[in-house]
Amino acid sequence: MQASISEMKFHNGLVPPWIGLPTGKLFRHNGASKWLTTSKEITLKRPITRRLWSHNETTLLTKIYPTDTAIKVIAERLGRSPQAVSNKAKRLGLRRPLTLKRQRAAQARKNGEIVNERHDSPASAKPGVFPKTASGRAIWNTQSLHLLADLWKRLYSPAFIAEYFGLKYNTVCMAAKRAGLPSRAGFTLLRTSPTENPFAVAENATLASQMIARTCGITNTVFFQHPKDRRQQHYSYLGSRLVERRASGCFH
């Protein structure tokens, strides 16, 4: 009488674990094997097709892309991905509008160019003509800092500068400190202007040689430094403070 598989004895006395498993789990079905092979071949042979841009889509992209409309919105409207929209716009030579930060940087560079062109003739500055906000606070941009430096190197006192531009004494002192203007200890300061135009007074050669104008890479404003500090100091007073706060982990 033939013995069953479970009753068979092996020479080592141990029964392999696969003895009691059903046959379906030991052998893969031919249909499943054929389905896997067919699906893999279909995946490998599937062609990658890209939908061409029509004339209407190109025209619409040309009109919408240079506006403030988000790229995601443009992609949804055209039925394409944002990357495809950006690539097509790049090939067409289209450009996005300037953001607020880039507009301010461009305006600051433009103001700097205007000041540099007219820097040799600061006589156009009049008493009380100083950039201010609606509340009356001083706006220390490139032009105003150059005006402050022009009066500073002519040895005018902070009190005279504050009165001339209609500012407060402490405002002028703090602005001079932040702009990196050199100390004038040992010089005789002018409390009044000997002429009607204070810019007609000759500059002090010693102070003028210690004031090299540079632009801060963080605040994008002009600051002044001594020639010996050009390789050590790379940012303005406010820019250096901001770098220190970021290094300490404070982002406010």
Side-chain angles (χ1 to χ4, degrees):
M1 184 175 180
Q2 187 177 3
S4 61
I5 297 177
S6 59
E7 295 176 355
M8 293 177 60
K9 293 183 179 181
F10 296 86
H11 64 280
N12 56 359
L14 298 178
V15 180
W18 50 266
I19 290 297
L21 295 177
T23 309
K25 292 187 176 182
L26 294 177
F27 303 98
R28 179 177 294 176
H29 195 267
N30 292 335
S33 175
K34 185 177 181 181
W35 179 82
L36 289 175
T37 305
T38 306
S39 61
K40 185 180 296 185
E41 291 177 355
I42 293 175
T43 305
L44 294 176
K45 294 181 180 179
R46 181 179 299 170
I48 300 176
T49 58
R50 296 179 181 179
R51 186 162 55 94
L52 299 178
W53 286 77
S54 63
H55 178 72
N56 296 334
E57 292 177 342
T58 305
T59 305
L60 184 60
L61 178 64
T62 307
K63 294 181 180 179
I64 300 179
Y65 193 82
T67 62
D68 295 332
T69 309
I71 297 182
K72 292 184 178 180
V73 178
I74 300 176
E76 293 178 357
R77 187 169 180 179
L78 294 174
R80 297 179 180 271
S81 63
Q83 186 63 35
V85 172
S86 301
N87 294 339
K88 183 63 175 179
K90 185 177 180 180
R91 290 194 296 269
L92 294 175
L94 303 177
R95 293 185 178 182
R96 297 286 292 169
L98 293 177
T99 59
L100 183 60
K101 184 176 181 180
R102 293 171 60 189
Q103 288 178 358
R104 290 177 179 175
Q107 185 65 28
R109 289 193 299 268
K110 184 178 180 180
N111 294 338
E113 293 175 358
I114 295 175
V115 171
N116 292 334
E117 292 176 358
R118 302 179 180 178
H119 189 256
D120 296 333
S121 58
S124 59
K126 299 179 180 180
V129 179
F130 195 87
K132 298 180 182 179
T133 61
S135 60
R137 299 187 62 180
I139 300 176
W140 295 104
N141 52 19
T142 303
Q143 180 180 3
S144 57
L145 288 175
H146 273 294
L147 292 176
L148 175 61
D150 287 333
L151 293 178
W152 193 267
K153 67 178 67 174
R154 287 174 170 82
L155 297 180
Y156 286 105
S157 64
F160 173 81
I161 298 174
E163 183 181 358
Y164 184 78
F165 288 123
L167 304 174
K168 295 182 179 179
Y169 176 84
N170 293 336
T171 303
V172 174
C173 293
M174 287 301 300
K177 179 181 178 181
R178 293 175 178 175
L181 297 180
S183 174
R184 300 181 294 180
F187 293 97
T188 302
L189 302 182
L190 301 177
R191 299 184 181 275
T192 58
S193 176
T195 60
E196 184 179 357
N197 181 17
F199 295 97
V201 179
E203 300 178 354
N204 184 277
T206 304
L207 282 179
S209 62
Q210 297 176 0
M211 297 169 57
I212 298 178
R214 295 186 61 185
T215 303
C216 180
I218 297 180
T219 60
N220 201 24
T221 56
V222 67
F223 71 101
F224 303 88
Q225 61 179 183
H226 197 278
K228 66 179 181 180
D229 298 332
R230 294 191 65 178
R231 295 186 179 182
Q232 299 177 357
Q233 182 182 356
H234 304 286
Y235 306 109
S236 63
Y237 176 80
L238 293 179
S240 301
R241 291 283 303 273
L242 185 59
V243 170
E244 294 175 357
R245 294 177 65 181
R246 289 179 178 177
S248 62
C250 180
F251 298 95
H252 300 284

